[in-house]
Amino acid sequence: MRNFDLHSHSNVSDGTLTPTALAERAKSNGVDVWAMTDHDEIGGIAEARVAAKALDLPYVPGVEISITWSGQTVHIVGLQIDETNPILVNGLASVRGGREQRAREMSAQLEKIGIPGAFEGALKFVGNPDLISRTHFARYLIESGVCSNLQDAFTHYLGDGAQGYVPHRWATLQNAVEWIRAADGVAVIAHPGRYKFTEMQFDALFNEFKELGGAAIEVTTGSHTPDQYDYYAKVANTYGFLASRGSDFHGPGESRVELGALPPLPSGVRPVWHDWHI
Ligand code: AMP
Ligand code: MN
Ligand code: MN
Ligand code: MN
């Protein structure tokens, strides 16, 4: 089976490598088909495409859209998108707006509990001023010795409900699926195993996504345990979803799974790429 890695981040969102360096790493790690899926941002796609072409690496334009569903943040990946589509471009611009204000509020909350300067500190790690993310705050908390690693930073300060957390007004599920479909893309629910929904909520999420024209879920991802690979393979087949595979790589030394290093999809699922001519 060819090595498809269909979920990764550059420093155009909250990864640490440039799109070019990410393409080079994908190639040298043996990825056969690569998608870069920056959060809420298509600004790195032109560079990624050029870099992949120079390396003779088949490339899939992608994005990972943040939405709010039933009170939680959920991520919807779009693959094979036309990144020039104005519905997609304008939609993404609308969710990006307000990230700076949110970051200032996060910084003010952290200051109240004795951690000053987090906004400026996080900014040092930001590659794209439109995309200040909690990941950048986490890097600052680690650099300044407040936290020992990313998990620690999210558990104690940045995760949903923690003291430094400020919710953002993300898109709706319907928005995200419509933007991706308007851009001729395939909509994929990212890392379903990460959400803290009840079984009934998951069922409602999958049904609603399906009705809107969502096509796939991530089965093998850096965010799932091996047990979850098998569990979400069954879920995919139950709901008639295609299965996707992607490391969610954010940078060397930071991500649990290296780019291109995941096991293959479990047998018995239909891969999201089954009908791609690539
Ligand atoms: P934001 O879009 O600013 O809300 O930040 C969300 C990002 O934080 C995600 O894209 C992940 O990269 C990162 N993240 C969220 N939860 C965790 C966690 N528990 N450990 C490490 N990174 C996380
Ligand atoms: Mn991220
Ligand atoms: Mn995600
Ligand atoms: Mn991601």
Side-chain angles (χ1 to χ4, degrees):
M1 194 191 272
R2 285 197 297 167
N3 186 347
F4 283 75
D5 193 323
L6 302 178
H7 190 149
S8 60
H9 297 275
S10 79
N11 67 350
V12 173
S13 65
D14 63 348
T16 60
L17 302 178
T18 62
T20 301
L22 201 58
E24 285 164 357
R25 197 173 185 95
K27 182 75 182 183
S28 62
N29 284 1
V31 172
D32 295 309
V33 179
W34 170 56
M36 191 178 79
T37 52
D38 276 315
H39 297 286
D40 307 317
E41 177 62 277
I42 35 67
I45 290 181
E47 179 185 330
R49 183 181 283 120
V50 168
K53 193 165 176 46
L55 294 161
D56 203 18
L57 171 64
Y59 167 72
V60 175
V63 68
E64 181 176 17
I65 305 179
S66 316
I67 67 159
T68 306
W69 193 87
S70 199
Q72 286 187 47
T73 302
V74 168
H75 287 168
I76 305 295
V77 162
L79 298 172
Q80 298 284 24
I81 50 165
D82 167 9
E83 79 277 11
T84 65
N85 180 276
I87 293 172
L88 178 69
V89 169
N90 295 332
L92 292 177
S94 73
V95 259
R96 280 197 302 273
R99 269 190 183 263
E100 180 180 331
Q101 180 56 31
R102 170 195 188 223
R104 288 187 191 281
E105 289 169 30
M106 284 171 56
S107 186
Q109 286 188 199
L110 290 169
E111 182 145 10
K112 274 192 217 146
I113 55 166
I115 305 167
F119 180 76
E120 292 73 20
L123 263 191
K124 284 188 296 176
F125 294 95
V126 168
N128 171 0
D130 277 353
L131 221 118
I132 312 179
S133 143
R134 284 185 285 165
T135 314
H136 302 115
F137 278 81
R139 290 188 188 126
Y140 170 67
L141 293 177
I142 294 165
E143 182 202 49
S144 57
V146 174
C147 296
S148 50
N149 55 48
L150 279 179
Q151 197 47 54
D152 180 25
F154 277 88
T155 303
H156 294 106
Y157 298 102
L158 304 170
D160 295 25
Q163 284 164 302
Y165 177 65
V166 175
H168 187 58
R169 195 184 287 266
W170 303 122
T172 64
L173 179 64
Q174 180 167 359
N175 291 148
V177 176
E178 283 178 2
W179 300 342
I180 291 165
R181 297 189 71 206
D184 298 323
V186 180
V188 185
I189 297 179
H191 41 64
R194 281 234 312 244
Y195 312 126
K196 309 257 178 304
F197 291 130
T198 62
E199 233 172 276
M200 267 176 70
Q201 286 176 313
F202 270 115
D203 182 56
L205 172 66
F206 294 139
N207 283 321
E208 188 179 330
F209 180 67
K210 179 108 190 168
E211 273 163 33
L212 290 166
I217 63 171
E218 287 184 342
V219 167
T220 305
T221 136
S223 298
H224 284 173
T225 61
D227 281 353
Q228 287 175 319
Y229 304 157
D230 294 331
Y231 177 75
Y232 286 102
K234 288 200 192 85
V235 169
N237 287 339
T238 301
Y239 289 87
F241 290 132
L242 304 172
S244 191
R245 172 180 186 267
S247 59
D248 206 358
F249 182 75
H250 281 67
E254 207 172 85
S255 292
R256 218 167 53 152
V257 172
E258 177 57 63
L259 198 59
L262 284 168
L265 284 174
S267 57
V269 295
R270 177 175 274 207
V272 67
W273 56 82
H274 77 102
D275 60 352
W276 293 358
H277 302 286
I278 196 162

